[in-house]
Amino acid sequence: MSTQTSRTTTDAVPSQREHGSPHHGQHTAPAGASLPRAVLSEWTKLRSLRSTWWTLVIALGLAVGFAALLAAVVSNPDAQQPQGGPGAGGLADPVGIALASSTFSTLVLGVLGALVVAGEYATGSISSSLMALPRRWPLVVAKTAVLVGLLVPFTLVLSLASLWVASLIYGDAATVDWASSDTWLAVLGNCAYLVAVALLGLGLGLLFRTTAAAITVLAAIVFVAPPLLGLVTWDWVVAINDHLPGVAGSSLASTTGGTLGTGEAWLTLLGWAAVPVLAGALVLQRRDA
Amino acid sequence: MIEAQHLVKRYGAKTAVDDLSFTVSPGHVTGFLGPNGAGKSTTMRMVVGLDRPTSGSVTVNGKPYAEHRTPLAEVGTLLEAKAVHKGRSAHDHLLALAQSQGIGRRRVAEVIDLVGLHDVARKRAGGFSLGMGQRLGIASALLGDPATIILDEPVNGLDPDGVLWIRTLLRGLAAEGRTVFVSSHLMSEMALTAERLVIVGRGRLLADTTVDDLISSASDRPVVVHSPQAGELGRLLVSAGATVTDVEVGELLVTGTTAARIGEVAAERGIVLHELHTERASLEQVYMALTRDSREYTTDEPATGARAGAQDGAAQQQEVAA
């Protein structure tokens, strides 16, 4: 193709221009951006990634697997149980022990939360998302809504499956009282803990924008901080350590209570879930994409 | 329609865009041209609200981008290749974008066909070639059937088929009466695609003009002379104050005088001329001259003769076509 012919073609275009119309298709005008549409769009994004489903499979597998393991260990009559073991009255908190298996899944779901945002920064698709929703905050609301909408039923299944598997393995060592409201409150508390950590991941993803940074901080808060802070006896450090998400989670996911009272534990989880997301939304609103 | 008024973008001490005002009107392909680092991408990102101007303002179709109710139906944008999640299929990427604005599923299928990605639409975009990624980007840009289309370096890294496809597509979109604003650092590519040019260097406006006006603005166009007595003619012209380059035996490239004057000199001495014509300045030369001071990384190139410059231009065009 020679340069000369192409120039000629360019020159020929203006004569056709007057006959064109600005819109070539016969489409009805799109309805416009709205919050429900943003939620639908985010749901399409989340469900269309294999990593979403792998993450859920891994979280479920880990929770149920560790529930079985913990149940087997505590119900083994030969084992030396320092506390909570099968003594005269059986296990003190069989529900709490079974649900403690979820701890390993929190990190997995936190990573899912982080990926919802940081994955977009990593691939550059965040610019597509922000050009579709230039007001930006609806993007955060939609991502939050979709993550919560997916994880509330999922963590319910995860918690019940863990508890059920554990109850089968306890055998004579303990029984899970399915009729007790305490059992169901513990299950709900466990769900809240898992969802809160996922939202913490989402907030950290918004704040740090890279998967590596978000996951590192998430792991530090969920796994690394508790044993390290536990070594320090200053009052304010103890206070912080008592209000980490894991402590609040285990206080709720139990039939015998924990470090924090019920109300304080719920508020603590709410804080870990909401504050980073809100801060992240503010930062997103102000920062160049 | 894009209207930028006194746009400024500073990053710390560095000014990326410096008091840039221009208007891009419908019905043409408008080239946004400048050396790498001239602020083209930053400007485009400010147009679609991704980056916030330090000062100044920009509107698209009469409003700031973020105030449009259905932004994707107003402005279609291709910023960088593959602004797509690698794990998501082309279809799902487009569907999610469409759903956010209430654009129907049928339109998703339509743009997939339009860009020729039908066979791979359900495959993960991470496995796409650069050309396929670019086609997907174009599909995203056209999804909302927008009146304004903004493309940042759309032909970068594409094979000749892809380059030709984009060139034809852009001209077609402009012919339909849309505003088409497309950046490039290659004058040769813009010369083939655009009618109007907004040229920037170091974030400042260098020219807001048409391709034709730009060419005719070029001064001191060289004259090509073919003569069996080229040596003698050359000496005469030099003594008359012109600059003469021997291109090859029997061919001279003369600057600093006119074709008429060369003809007169030859006639006075009875020198035979086989050819005498004034060269049309190549856009590449004009562009290089315009942006010489604003290129971020300049090689110490000697002031090349006009013919050499023209050959450079031709070589670059071949590069694009190759």
Side-chain angles (χ1 to χ4, degrees), chain A residues 1 3 6-7 9-11 13-14 16-27 30-34 37-38 40-41 44-50 115 119-120 122-136 285-289, chain B residues 9 11 27-28 45 48-52 65-67 69-73 77 79-80 82-88 92-93 95-97 99-103 107 110 124 145-147 164 167 171 174-176 178 191-195 211-212 317 321:
Chain A
M1 175 204 60
T3 304
S6 295
R7 278 296 308 163
T9 321
T10 316
D11 293 337
V13 167
Q16 303 162 4
R17 196 185 307 134
E18 294 133 30
H19 307 295
S21 72
H23 299 272
H24 58 77
Q26 295 299 315
H27 304 286
S34 72
R37 292 196 185 98
L40 180 62
S41 165
T44 299
K45 284 190 198 169
L46 191 63
R47 72 164 170 75
S48 61
L49 289 179
R50 275 188 224 164
L115 282 176
E120 292 211 17
T123 58
S125 60
I126 187 72
S127 60
S128 301
S129 301
L130 292 178
M131 285 189 289
L133 295 170
R135 291 179 191 276
R136 299 191 179 186
Q285 207 74 27
R286 287 157 186 272
R287 187 158 56 183
D288 285 347
Chain B
K9 181 68 183 179
Y11 297 102
H28 314 273
R45 292 173 62 83
V48 294
L50 287 176
D51 289 359
R52 192 185 298 256
Y65 183 84
E67 288 179 17
R69 196 173 139 66
T70 316
L72 297 186
T77 315
L79 281 187
E80 41 221 301
K82 298 194 181 183
V84 176
H85 201 296
K86 289 179 179 61
R88 197 171 283 129
D92 290 335
H93 170 72
L95 179 62
L97 284 179
Q99 285 172 333
S100 72
Q101 321 273 294
I103 298 168
R107 180 63 184 165
E110 232 171 75
R124 303 207 297 167
D145 198 15
L164 187 61
R167 206 181 278 158
R171 286 205 211 102
E176 287 168 355
R178 298 176 208 255
L192 297 174
T193 314
E195 291 164 67
V211 170
D212 291 340
Q317 279 166 4

Side-chain angles (χ1 to χ4, degrees), chain B residues 40-309:
Chain B
K40 302 188 295 294
S41 297
T42 306
T43 303
M44 286 182 154
R45 292 173 62 83
M46 288 192 286
V47 174
V48 294
L50 287 176
D51 289 359
R52 192 185 298 256
T54 308
S55 64
S57 66
V58 59
T59 61
V60 207
N61 305 344
K63 282 186 196 173
Y65 183 84
E67 288 179 17
H68 284 293
R69 196 173 139 66
T70 316
L72 297 186
E74 296 290 337
V75 187
T77 315
L78 168 70
L79 281 187
E80 41 221 301
K82 298 194 181 183
V84 176
H85 201 296
K86 289 179 179 61
R88 197 171 283 129
S89 73
H91 173 268
D92 290 335
H93 170 72
L94 293 169
L95 179 62
L97 284 179
Q99 285 172 333
S100 72
Q101 321 273 294
I103 298 168
R105 273 172 186 268
R106 210 171 40 171
R107 180 63 184 165
V108 172
E110 232 171 75
V111 291
I112 287 173
D113 288 343
L114 182 68
V115 302
L117 285 180
H118 188 79
D119 294 340
V120 292
R122 302 278 173 174
K123 298 219 167 82
R124 303 207 297 167
F128 278 16
S129 67
L130 191 57
M132 286 152 76
Q134 210 72 330
R135 281 170 188 265
L136 177 53
I138 300 270
S140 317
L142 298 179
L143 185 63
D145 198 15
T148 296
I149 290 141
I150 298 175
L151 308 172
D152 195 4
E153 301 272 5
V155 301
N156 249 12
L158 288 189
D159 58 15
D161 283 354
V163 172
L164 187 61
W165 175 71
I166 287 196
R167 206 181 278 158
T168 312
L169 179 76
L170 295 184
R171 286 205 211 102
L173 291 167
E176 287 168 355
R178 298 176 208 255
T179 303
V180 181
F181 192 40
V182 50
S183 80
S184 177
H185 62 279
L186 292 180
M187 183 74 215
S188 46
E189 177 53 34
M190 286 296 96
L192 297 174
T193 314
E195 291 164 67
R196 299 196 56 89
L197 293 172
V198 173
I199 303 178
V200 290
R202 290 193 195 278
R204 302 192 69 98
L205 186 70
L206 297 177
D208 184 350
T209 180
T210 67
V211 170
D212 291 340
D213 285 352
L214 191 66
I215 293 175
S216 51
S217 74
S219 56
D220 199 20
R221 289 181 283 169
V223 181
V224 176
V225 187
H226 286 229
S227 165
Q229 293 148 276
E232 191 189 343
L233 181 61
R235 280 189 293 279
L236 288 168
L237 292 171
V238 169
S239 61
T243 308
V244 177
T245 315
D246 286 304
V247 178
E248 54 186 82
V249 178
E251 184 180 349
L252 301 174
L253 193 68
V254 186
T255 51
T257 186
T258 62
R261 185 69 201 128
I262 295 169
E264 286 163 17
V265 170
E268 277 167 23
R269 299 298 178 114
I271 291 171
V272 176
L273 296 183
H274 290 168
E275 188 177 337
L276 177 65
H277 72 265
T278 307
E279 275 208 332
R280 186 178 157 91
S282 88
L283 275 172
E284 194 74 32
Q285 287 165 253
V286 182
Y287 171 57
M288 291 308 246
L290 200 57
T291 58
R292 182 154 291 138
D293 299 331
S294 55
R295 264 168 279 160
E296 273 205 328
Y297 313 101
T298 40
T299 49
D300 266 338
E301 51 195 335
T304 44
R307 171 55 71 91

